[in-house]
């Protein structure tokens, strides 16, 4: 045996994978508030500029580190992956309104059970039954207006959104006074919740300051309103085929009736986010009809060609393709839900970076849907970009106004039907002009809406 053959080869050292790097930290943080200050001062501009710093970027909101995702591909990955759940600053701020037991904020088996309860109300074959209510409310909106009078689009948009939701899904005697209460309370609550999301300074919000007191009063009135609706239904003994009846009859995972708190939170989740987001979108659609008269003319001409001069009906919606594209393009440029957050449930990887368990993820549909790498002439209002031959060029997840995955809004078809019908009815009846004192710049809260949109209707 030679010396060489008697030496045993040494096993190679085990190689460990290099640890994943942290995403880059965005510049501009200030002491104590971190990037929360920029999110308060210019949230849309700040989030839209983050892609230049990377696909995933670290932010600080007060003492928290948050990971911002800036590309369509990665926002889709977050929405579809089981590694992330509903959580983070947005949902923590909303729990005071939506509670912890409603479909909007629940996770896991509870969320799946709740979706099974509410989903039948939004099936495609269920939506035509809501058509007469949508028609009635859309026509009531336009017949309330008078030539030359100033229309306050905030109150009008909330009124129609609340009344359609209540009459279709809760079948209650929803009077204008109650809708007005909801509108006033929602405006105060959503504005306060946005501040609590970007600057999570909990003890400061418990001080007896005027803004905090107004927020607390508005929140209490919202919950009182929901209790009134549930109590009225129970006292009536009626069981119409609607979502509230389904909730009152729903069972939990053990086959027992669901608790009072869950019923309450579910009604809040039905009324408030839906009313707020639909109302905000209606405001932007009215702004579009005033700011783009050529598009208003095209919508009016399409309605005339479909209806032959009769009032617009729910059954016309599928044929109003350009009107639908106007709605989609308005939602692209001014999405009501402009910011979303998730929470990592395990240590995971995203875009080549390490995301630790418990970390909060934030992304902005507003920034994603205006991304110049996804859209040609990205800031131009162009409904024809949604024609079939052009729409296929839009990257996947670059347009998700109703979210995606298991958190996709169950009322997407319901919402699109009412938005298209409202737009068609208004454009066919009136030309809209902004008046002195109108301010259609973007007001940022939990949702986006014009600051104060005032329009003058002129008969066609």
């Amino acid at each position: 045996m030679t010396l060489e053959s008697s030496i045993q080869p040494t096993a190679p050292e085990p190689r460990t994978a290099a640890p994943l790097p942290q995403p880059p930290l965005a510049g501009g943080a200030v002491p104590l508030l971190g990037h929360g200050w920029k999110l308060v001062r210019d949230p849309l501009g700040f989030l839209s500029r983050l892609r230049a710093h990377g696909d995933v970027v670290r932010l600080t909101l007060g003492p928290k580190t948050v990971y911002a995702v800036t590309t369509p591909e990665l926002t889709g990955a977050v929405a579809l992956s089981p590694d992330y759940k509903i959580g983070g600053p947005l949902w923590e701020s909303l729990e005071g309104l939506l509670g912890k037991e409603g479909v909007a904020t629940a996770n896991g088996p509870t969320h799946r059970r709740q979706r099974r309860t509410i989903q039948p109300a939004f099936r495609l074959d269920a939506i035509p039954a809501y058509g007469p209510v949508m028609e009635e409310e859309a026509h009531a909106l336009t017949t309330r207006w008078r030539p030359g009078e100033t229309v306050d689009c905030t109150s009008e948009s909330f009124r129609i959104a609340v009344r359609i939701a209540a009459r279709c899904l809760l079948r209650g005697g929803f009077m204008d006074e109650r809708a007005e209460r909801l509108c006033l309370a929602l405006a105060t609550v959503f504005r306060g919740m946005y501040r609590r999301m970007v600057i999570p300074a909990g003890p400061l919000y418990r001080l007896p300051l005027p803004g905090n007191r107004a927020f607390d009063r508005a929140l209490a009135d919202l919950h009182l309103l929901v209790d009134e609706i549930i109590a009225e239904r129970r006292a009536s003994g009626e069981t119409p085929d609607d979502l509230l009846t389904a909730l009152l009859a729903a069972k939990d995972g053990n086959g027992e009736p669901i608790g009072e708190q869950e019923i309450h939170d579910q009604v809040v989740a039905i009324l408030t986010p839906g009313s707020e987001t639909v109302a905000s979108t209606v405001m932007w659609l009215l702004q579009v009809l005033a700011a783009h008269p050529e598009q208003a003319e095209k919508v009016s001409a399409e309605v005339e060609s479909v209806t032959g001069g009769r009032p617009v009906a729910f059954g016309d919606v599928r044929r109003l393709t350009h009107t639908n594209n106007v709605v989609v393009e308005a939602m692209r440029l001014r999405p009501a839900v402009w910011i979303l957050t998730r929470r990592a449930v395990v240590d995971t990887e995203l875009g080549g970076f390490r995301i630790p368990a418990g970390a909060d993820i934030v992304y902005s549909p507003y920034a994603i849907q205006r991304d110049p790498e996804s859209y040609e002439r990205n800031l131009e209002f162009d409904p024809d970009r949604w024609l079939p031959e052009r729409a296929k060029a839009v990257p996947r997840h670059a347009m998700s106004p109703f979210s995606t995955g298991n958190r996709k809004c169950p009322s997407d078809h319901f919402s699109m039907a009412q938005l298209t019908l409202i737009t068609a009815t208004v454009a066919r009846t009136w030309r809209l002009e902004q008046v002195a004192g109108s301010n259609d710049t973007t007001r940022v809260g939990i949702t986006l809406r014009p600051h104060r949109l005032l329009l003058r209707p002129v008969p066609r």
Side-chain angles (χ1 to χ4, degrees):
M1 180 182 292
T2 65
L3 179 63
E4 207 172 76
S5 64
S6 67
I7 300 176
Q8 298 296 317
T10 305
E13 290 287 330
R15 298 179 65 182
T16 58
L20 292 171
Q22 278 196 323
L25 179 68
V30 299
L32 299 179
L33 300 180
H35 297 95
W37 180 242
K38 286 183 174 288
L39 277 171
V40 169
R41 297 195 65 185
D42 181 23
L44 302 179
F46 175 67
L47 290 170
S48 295
R49 291 188 290 270
L50 285 179
R51 188 168 189 184
H53 300 283
D55 295 352
V56 185
V57 183
R58 275 184 299 141
L59 307 177
T60 56
L61 300 182
K64 287 189 173 184
T65 296
V66 176
Y67 297 80
V69 183
T70 67
T71 70
E73 179 184 4
L74 292 182
T75 57
V78 169
L80 295 171
S81 173
D83 291 347
Y84 306 94
K85 67 176 184 178
I86 283 290
L90 172 63
W91 302 105
E92 288 168 357
S93 69
L94 285 175
E95 280 180 353
L97 169 62
L98 302 180
K100 297 184 179 182
E101 298 188 32
V103 69
T105 51
N107 280 291
T110 300
H111 174 256
R112 290 192 291 274
R113 171 177 58 76
Q114 291 172 337
R115 280 187 74 99
R116 286 196 298 270
T117 299
I118 67 173
Q119 194 68 55
F122 298 112
R123 291 194 321 262
L124 275 173
D125 60 353
I127 293 174
Y130 307 135
V133 171
M134 293 181 185
E135 292 171 16
E136 186 177 322
E137 293 296 336
H139 292 301
L141 174 75
T142 57
T143 55
R144 275 197 301 273
W145 300 350
R146 296 291 178 265
E149 290 185 354
T150 296
V151 172
D152 181 344
C153 294
T154 301
S155 61
E156 287 291 85
S157 299
F158 265 109
R159 183 176 289 115
I160 191 170
V162 169
R163 288 182 65 84
I164 288 177
R167 292 186 63 198
C168 290
L169 304 176
L170 304 179
R171 305 279 175 92
F174 224 70
M175 305 304 291
D176 284 344
E177 180 273 335
R178 192 173 280 170
E180 286 301 316
R181 279 173 57 193
L182 182 59
C183 296
L184 292 171
L186 276 175
T188 302
V189 167
F190 275 84
R191 188 162 53 246
M193 285 182 171
Y194 175 66
R195 294 194 191 101
R196 286 157 172 76
M197 178 182 71
V198 299
I199 304 178
L204 294 180
Y205 298 123
R206 291 191 286 273
L207 296 176
L209 302 174
N212 292 343
R213 289 202 299 268
F215 175 87
D216 292 340
R217 283 195 303 270
L219 189 59
D221 197 36
L222 276 174
H223 289 295
L224 177 61
L225 179 59
V226 169
D227 288 338
E228 289 175 6
I229 293 168
I230 297 171
E232 284 178 9
R233 171 61 61 81
R234 283 201 162 115
S236 73
E238 297 175 354
T239 57
D241 184 16
D242 70 357
L243 203 49
L244 183 51
T245 295
L247 290 173
L248 293 173
K251 300 292 192 291
D252 65 16
N254 298 317
E256 299 294 325
I258 63 175
E260 288 298 308
Q261 188 62 51
E262 183 174 335
I263 294 172
H264 177 99
D265 290 353
Q266 289 285 61
V267 174
V268 172
I270 292 162
L271 271 183
T272 52
S275 298
E276 171 78 10
T277 55
V278 169
S280 297
T281 305
V282 170
M283 287 180 230
W284 287 120
L285 286 164
L286 297 176
Q287 188 270 344
V288 161
L289 294 178
H292 300 276
E294 75 288 353
Q295 294 297 337
E297 293 293 333
K298 289 184 72 172
V299 170
S300 179
E302 180 179 64
V303 173
E304 177 68 23
S305 70
V306 168
T307 66
R310 60 169 170 74
V312 188
F314 177 85
D316 300 321
V317 166
R318 286 181 177 273
R319 298 170 61 195
L320 297 173
T321 54
H322 183 73
T323 307
N324 180 81
N325 290 347
V326 166
V327 173
V328 174
E329 182 70 347
M331 291 193 296
R332 180 184 75 85
L333 286 170
R334 295 286 196 280
V337 179
W338 63 276
I339 189 167
L340 290 168
T341 61
R342 296 289 187 270
R343 180 161 290 155
V345 295
V346 295
D347 285 348
T348 188
E349 175 271 337
L350 187 64
F353 296 106
R354 175 180 175 267
I355 307 296
D360 291 334
I361 311 295
V362 61
Y363 57 97
S364 171
Y366 176 94
I368 294 293
Q369 291 171 191
R370 288 169 165 244
D371 180 18
E373 295 188 34
S374 298
Y375 294 97
E376 184 181 355
R377 301 189 308 278
N378 59 308
L379 301 182
E380 181 181 319
F381 186 83
D382 178 14
D384 287 344
R385 74 172 77 246
W386 301 109
L387 292 170
E389 62 272 19
R390 292 181 58 189
K392 60 187 178 184
V394 176
R396 191 181 181 205
H397 305 303
M399 180 63 184
S400 300
F402 299 101
S403 194
T404 190
N406 68 349
R407 307 307 304 208
K408 183 178 180 181
C409 177
S411 64
D412 52 349
H413 295 293
F414 176 87
S415 298
M416 281 301 301
Q418 64 176 308
L419 291 168
T420 301
L421 185 60
I422 292 167
T423 304
T425 304
V426 171
R428 185 64 190 92
T429 311
W430 301 102
R431 292 184 177 90
L432 301 177
E433 303 170 347
Q434 288 204 55
V435 301
S438 180
N439 180 359
D440 67 352
T441 57
T442 304
R443 186 195 68 82
V444 179
I446 295 293
T447 60
L448 300 183
R449 70 168 84 149
H451 269 100
R452 187 167 185 253
L453 185 62
L454 305 175
L455 298 178
R456 177 187 298 114
V458 179
R460 286 198 177 274

